Amino acid sequence: MKNYALNPKHGDGDKSRQHKINYVEALNDQQWQAVQQIEGPQLVIAGAGSGKTRTLVYRVAYLVEQGVDPESILLLTFTRKASREMLRRAALLLDDRCQRIQGGTFHSFANTILRQYAAHLDYPNNFTIIDRGDAEDIVNMLRAELNLDKKQRRFPKKRTLVEILSKSINTNRPVMEVLADDYPHFLDDEPQIMELAGRYLRYKQTKGLMDYDDLLVNLRRLLTEQDGIRRKLSRQFRYILVDEYQDTNLLQAMIAALLASEHANLMVVGDDSQSIYAFRGAQFKNIMDFPKIFPNTRVTTLEQNYRSTQPILDFTNAIIASAKEKYSKNLFSEISGEQKPVYLQALNEREQSQFICQRILELREEGIPLDEMAVLFRSGWHSTELEIELNSRNIPFVKFGGMKFTETAHVKDVTALLRILYNPFDAIAWYRSLLLLDGVGPATAREVIDDVVEAQKGPEILAAPEWSKRKIGGELTRLRLFIAESVSNNFSPAEETKRVLEYYLPILKKNYDDYHKRTHDLEALAKIAERYQDLEAFLTDLTLEPPENSQIDTTATDKDEEKLILSTIHSAKGLEWHSIFLINLVDGFLPATQSLQREEDIEEERRLFYVATTRAKQQLYLLTPELERGGGLSYFDTRTVFTLPSRFIQDIEKFSNLTEQWTITLKSEESETTEEKSDDGTADDGAPNFLKNINDYFNEHRN
DNA sequence: GATTAGTCGATTTTT
DNA sequence: TCGACTAATC
């Protein structure tokens, strides 16, 4: 096995003599090659478990040890988890110089930059970031304005509308094309949808709002329209690394390329076999096309797997071998282990859950910590049955993915109130806050907003007799006084949150029977607020980098106690565990019903299956419940149907020697250093014309 | 005319 | 569990 320990001693390995870290010992040849070449464009094709993160982390450390200013290193990742993990590991490896490395998700990076330069795009620098829910609320409001909510029965719902618009942006296709491809039944509504899209855009701009997509769109605009800024930023970030490149969309690929346009010191790392974000515009073609933008790209492939045993790898290789399109990689491992992946058929979900609980406890007995085991599934709600069983046996767990903290009703209520305090002209926040009041519905809320927000009269107008005399006057006065107190004092985010809670808790108790658990969430929120100096930063982080989990679904236990991990496959990406239980391997669950129509969607589901199975280090359990839950709750529900094992499993059965079949038996009981290059990017040494390539490439793809 | 209580139905994945 | 839709109520 590879020696992963840091080797502080100098001497052997001539290349790294002057370094604190012995790279040659810590890395294999390919990894070391990727780490070592610090100038020029680089593409690293990294198979699952091949030490991708490790390579990135060591490369960052290497750069710093070479004397590169950490602040000129930019590390772009796809998820917050990955970004945090990477910076943490880099700091651990070297020293706190690594903490000055710039990094984050594309979205959070865009936020940082736009806070400085938004004025160049006719946006205020103190713009507000809105989440999906807010976007839906605005679209819904605009839809009502256009009377599109009554006219036709089949006009798309707010959720679908936002989805269509977002898809159009992220996949770089006109709305018309998105409709034709994905929503043919709404094709006739194209003119109205376009009208709505225009209004939505204008609404956001006049109110200083940006949704997730706007962050990327506007950053790209900044980089393409403001040449001076592009150059400045590109020189500031001299070394750029992009993780999970197969999951970038065209917009993100373009941003990365533009940022590197002055120097082409861009290293992208990815694995086409693990591309699972096509629904959000990702195109793994970006990987293959990278050398087209940067012709002198050096390509490295990492094939040695340091995660899984060979039997598991044999199985996962077989999964991806049946994929239609892929780069061939042949992963191998030197990790010993005999245990083949285990395939189990359960009678139903309940038996599936019981088996998992039983097996988990056995493994626990054998000394495997709970948090080294994970149960993976296609979508958040697939684990509800299991959660019940875990709760009844007092097995502690945390769940990744699924309902997020900031998406719960009570947290949204509180943030809406906070947003009013931050900006008393935030119509969407007013709307939500007003609906909390007794006797106020959509119509009354609209009236209030027209007066307070649209007519720019501010909250104080609610003191006027026309409002105070109404039946709801008392409620409105309470709200008005609450806001006024904030305005006249300069409260910290923590104090504001406390005040909001005082105001809100009675409402919470009235509305929800489970207010106790929800109160816990809100107390957690108040704790988080303590970390912030100003409300803007607090609210921004809440939409951009929200805390992972709500208390609601997790058992209330000590924080340090080890817990079993439940996770959607998407959220499990990049992580690994000793043992993996992959549940509900049934056609319709994985692959999901919605994906069965199109071949490319099924291919993505296959990659999802691949991602899930490659998370396992030592043991992999594949479970198929034979009975799907019926549509209803009754045991007599005739819609209960026999289901087919996932087609991916059926594929694999051709290679039945790769798995082992078990039958379930349940036990009883329960900076600026380079020379100026000319504007077209061509230097004397004949360096390729990057900027031109970038523009050519993206123009070609803009249709 | 607006609000609310109550029923029904459906539910991918994430920044 | 949540949101959309419907019918009864203010």
Side-chain angles (χ1 to χ4, degrees):
Chain A
M1 205 191 299
K2 197 79 191 172
N3 174 19
Y4 268 4
L6 292 189
N7 190 343
K9 79 171 186 281
H10 301 240
D12 54 352
D14 43 359
K15 287 171 234 160
S16 53
R17 181 163 296 142
Q18 73 277 33
H19 300 305
K20 230 169 110 182
I21 300 163
N22 188 335
Y23 296 92
V24 178
E25 261 202 14
L27 304 168
N28 68 30
D29 291 348
Q30 287 78 24
Q31 291 172 336
W32 169 230
Q33 194 181 76
V35 164
Q36 207 179 355
Q37 193 206 336
I38 60 173
E39 301 284 333
Q42 240 198 120
L43 167 63
V44 179
I45 308 274
S50 63
K52 174 180 61 100
T53 308
R54 184 178 182 77
T55 306
L56 277 169
V57 167
Y58 272 81
R59 182 178 150 99
V60 165
Y62 186 73
L63 284 169
V64 174
E65 284 210 279
Q66 291 286 347
V68 169
D69 177 7
E71 280 172 31
S72 68
I73 301 173
L74 176 63
L75 183 55
L76 291 172
T77 55
F78 204 63
T79 60
R80 314 186 311 268
K81 219 182 283 168
S83 140
R84 232 179 305 134
E85 172 72 4
M86 224 167 282
L87 293 179
R88 192 186 63 83
R89 277 173 61 175
L92 213 64
L93 183 58
L94 195 55
D95 47 53
D96 46 13
R97 275 180 290 175
C98 290
Q99 301 196 329
R100 303 206 335 265
I101 290 163
Q102 306 296 300
T105 63
F106 275 93
H107 291 85
S108 68
F109 175 71
N111 174 53
T112 315
I113 299 299
L114 291 172
R115 291 277 168 206
Q116 293 174 59
Y117 297 108
H120 293 265
L121 301 169
D122 293 324
Y123 254 104
N125 282 355
N126 65 346
F127 58 85
T128 305
I129 297 172
I130 57 173
D131 66 14
R132 181 66 164 259
D134 299 325
E136 285 172 6
D137 290 343
I138 294 168
V139 165
N140 205 31
M141 199 182 74
L142 296 171
R143 184 175 65 163
E145 270 177 27
L146 286 168
N147 289 321
L148 291 169
D149 48 344
K150 309 233 164 84
K151 267 188 183 167
Q152 296 159 302
R153 285 249 166 268
R154 40 172 206 80
F155 195 74
K157 304 216 161 65
K158 60 176 182 181
R159 205 180 140 188
T160 319
L161 284 166
V162 171
E163 228 169 71
I164 292 170
L165 298 182
S166 177
K167 207 160 202 169
S168 155
I169 291 166
N170 284 299
T171 58
N172 197 47
R173 292 177 299 170
V175 169
M176 191 61 150
E177 209 177 302
V178 174
L179 289 175
D181 287 355
D182 300 341
Y183 307 87
H185 46 297
F186 292 133
L187 210 48
D188 294 343
D189 298 315
E190 200 256 355
Q192 289 95 317
I193 294 176
M194 287 309 290
E195 171 67 20
L196 197 64
R199 290 197 182 213
Y200 177 51
L201 205 66
R202 256 171 285 143
Y203 185 90
K204 284 183 297 186
Q205 192 137 30
T206 52
K207 304 267 177 186
L209 306 173
M210 289 199 204
D211 61 24
Y212 291 134
D213 300 335
D214 290 326
L215 288 170
L216 300 181
V217 169
N218 288 326
L219 178 56
R220 182 187 57 179
R221 262 184 66 204
L222 189 74
L223 292 172
T224 48
E225 290 173 12
Q226 307 283 332
D227 222 38
I229 296 175
R230 191 205 85 234
R231 258 182 266 168
K232 182 163 178 259
L233 289 173
S234 183
R235 285 170 198 159
Q236 182 181 345
F237 301 113
R238 292 272 294 122
Y239 296 92
I240 302 175
L241 301 91
V242 182
D243 189 21
E244 309 278 18
Y245 195 68
Q246 78 281 356
D247 284 327
T248 53
N249 60 32
L250 207 62
L251 213 44
Q252 292 164 318
M254 192 167 177
I255 288 170
L258 284 164
L259 284 170
S261 55
E262 294 292 296
H263 45 66
N265 292 330
L266 174 60
M267 170 160 137
V268 300
V269 184
D271 177 6
D272 51 298
S273 302
Q274 294 187 66
S275 168
I276 53 175
Y277 282 96
F279 69 93
R280 179 175 139 173
Q283 38 185 55
F284 60 83
K285 215 162 70 66
N286 280 347
I287 286 196
M288 291 122 182
D289 287 353
F290 185 77
K292 289 185 192 160
I293 306 174
F294 299 100
N296 54 339
T297 295
R298 174 147 181 196
V299 183
T300 314
T301 310
L302 307 182
E303 286 183 311
Q304 179 165 6
N305 175 294
Y306 295 100
R307 179 185 294 151
S308 313
T309 62
Q310 192 61 45
I312 290 175
L313 224 45
D314 289 338
F315 176 71
T316 58
N317 281 341
I319 294 170
I320 207 65
S322 33
K324 296 275 180 298
E325 240 189 311
K326 52 152 198 307
Y327 263 137
S328 44
K329 281 183 295 284
N330 193 19
L331 293 182
F332 64 97
S333 168
E334 292 173 357
I335 298 171
S336 58
E338 299 301 313
Q339 181 68 61
K340 289 178 184 173
V342 177
Y343 179 53
L344 297 121
Q345 289 188 305
L347 278 177
N348 48 35
E349 279 195 272
R350 187 164 154 70
E351 197 184 72
Q352 171 177 262
S353 304
Q354 288 171 329
F355 169 78
I356 288 176
C357 290
Q358 182 178 306
R359 190 68 194 134
I360 279 168
L361 292 176
E362 283 169 9
L363 288 168
R364 185 73 187 64
E365 290 285 293
E366 291 169 21
I368 316 296
L370 272 185
D371 53 13
E372 265 300 312
M373 298 181 248
V375 182
L376 305 183
F377 33 85
R378 175 65 175 87
S379 30
W381 56 278
H382 287 175
S383 66
T384 43
E385 165 72 35
L386 176 64
E387 287 170 44
I388 295 168
E389 190 67 29
L390 288 168
N391 274 326
S392 78
R393 300 206 195 192
N394 285 322
I395 301 176
F397 64 90
V398 274
K399 187 173 169 182
F400 297 158
M403 174 70 83
K404 262 164 290 154
F405 185 71
T406 44
E407 282 168 2
T408 54
H410 49 292
V411 174
K412 278 165 89 176
D413 289 342
V414 170
T415 29
L417 288 161
L418 282 170
R419 277 168 55 182
I420 294 188
L421 300 184
Y422 170 62
N423 171 13
F425 295 96
D426 185 331
I428 296 297
W430 271 102
Y431 189 74
R432 187 170 187 108
S433 308
L434 286 166
L435 285 187
L436 294 173
L437 306 180
D438 254 349
V440 177
T444 316
R446 193 66 253 165
E447 256 186 284
V448 173
I449 291 169
D450 281 343
D451 216 27
V452 174
V453 181
E454 304 302 335
Q456 296 275 311
K457 291 181 187 162
E460 282 309 306
I461 193 65
L462 294 178
E466 56 187 289
W467 288 113
S468 56
K469 277 191 187 143
R470 290 172 64 156
K471 258 186 227 154
I472 51 169
E475 298 262 19
L476 287 178
T477 306
R478 227 163 66 78
L479 183 58
R480 176 175 60 82
L481 293 176
F482 166 70
I483 297 168
E485 205 183 325
S486 272
V487 174
S488 48
N489 293 279
N490 199 12
F491 292 121
S492 70
E495 289 163 334
E496 293 283 34
T497 312
K498 238 183 217 136
R499 294 187 53 246
V500 169
L501 290 189
E502 273 168 38
Y503 173 86
Y504 176 70
L505 282 180
I507 303 175
L508 181 81
K509 285 185 187 171
K510 188 171 66 71
N511 287 348
Y512 302 101
D513 289 336
D514 61 345
Y515 70 90
H516 202 67
K517 282 189 218 157
R518 291 175 193 258
T519 309
H520 274 297
D521 275 355
L522 297 178
E523 279 162 4
L525 189 69
K527 259 258 152 39
I528 295 169
E530 288 172 12
R531 299 205 288 258
Y532 293 88
Q533 301 297 318
D534 62 299
L535 212 47
E536 176 185 287
F538 182 42
L539 290 171
T540 297
D541 273 10
L542 234 33
T543 32
L544 222 48
E545 329 233 308
E548 298 284 349
N549 285 295
S550 154
Q551 285 284 314
I552 288 206
D553 293 327
T554 49
T555 48
T557 36
D558 282 340
K559 274 196 184 124
D560 298 329
E561 189 187 352
E562 59 181 66
K563 290 173 187 161
L564 173 71
I565 311 294
L566 308 193
S567 176
T568 59
I569 299 174
H570 283 89
S571 302
K573 187 147 110 145
L575 304 174
E576 58 181 29
W577 291 275
H578 176 279
S579 297
I580 295 290
F581 297 83
L582 183 52
I583 61 172
N584 289 333
L585 277 171
V586 167
D587 247 35
F589 281 59
L590 182 72
T593 332
Q594 300 89 331
S595 313
L596 297 178
Q597 307 299 320
R598 274 189 311 201
E599 200 180 349
E600 66 210 82
D601 291 342
I602 293 180
E603 287 302 303
E604 174 142 323
E605 300 284 309
R606 188 195 307 281
R607 292 192 294 269
L608 219 33
F609 182 42
Y610 178 70
V611 168
T613 50
T614 49
R615 300 306 98 200
K617 292 199 269 192
Q618 295 284 325
Q619 300 189 13
L620 173 61
Y621 299 87
L622 307 155
L623 291 115
T624 298
E626 281 178 359
L627 288 174
E628 191 181 347
R629 60 185 98 188
L633 298 168
S634 157
Y635 285 110
F636 307 105
D637 190 326
T638 48
R639 280 178 297 175
T640 298
V641 278
F642 281 94
T643 51
L644 290 170
S646 166
R647 60 191 66 194
F648 304 138
I649 285 286
Q650 294 174 34
D651 285 356
I652 297 303
E653 277 178 353
K654 292 178 210 149
F655 311 94
S656 57
N657 56 328
L658 296 180
T659 59
E660 204 171 278
Q661 189 145 2
W662 286 10
T663 16
I664 296 180
T665 35
L666 296 171
K667 291 181 194 156
S668 57
E669 183 225 26
E670 64 300 13
S671 85
E672 302 231 351
T673 42
T674 31
E675 279 181 24
E676 282 282 318
K677 284 182 180 173
S678 56
D679 267 353
D680 63 9
T682 312
D684 289 341
D685 57 7
N689 187 342
F690 299 124
L691 193 57
K692 184 166 180 309
N693 284 341
I694 296 167
N695 287 328
D696 289 351
Y697 177 78
F698 289 107
N699 282 332
E700 192 185 308
H701 285 76
R702 192 169 293 161
N703 48 17

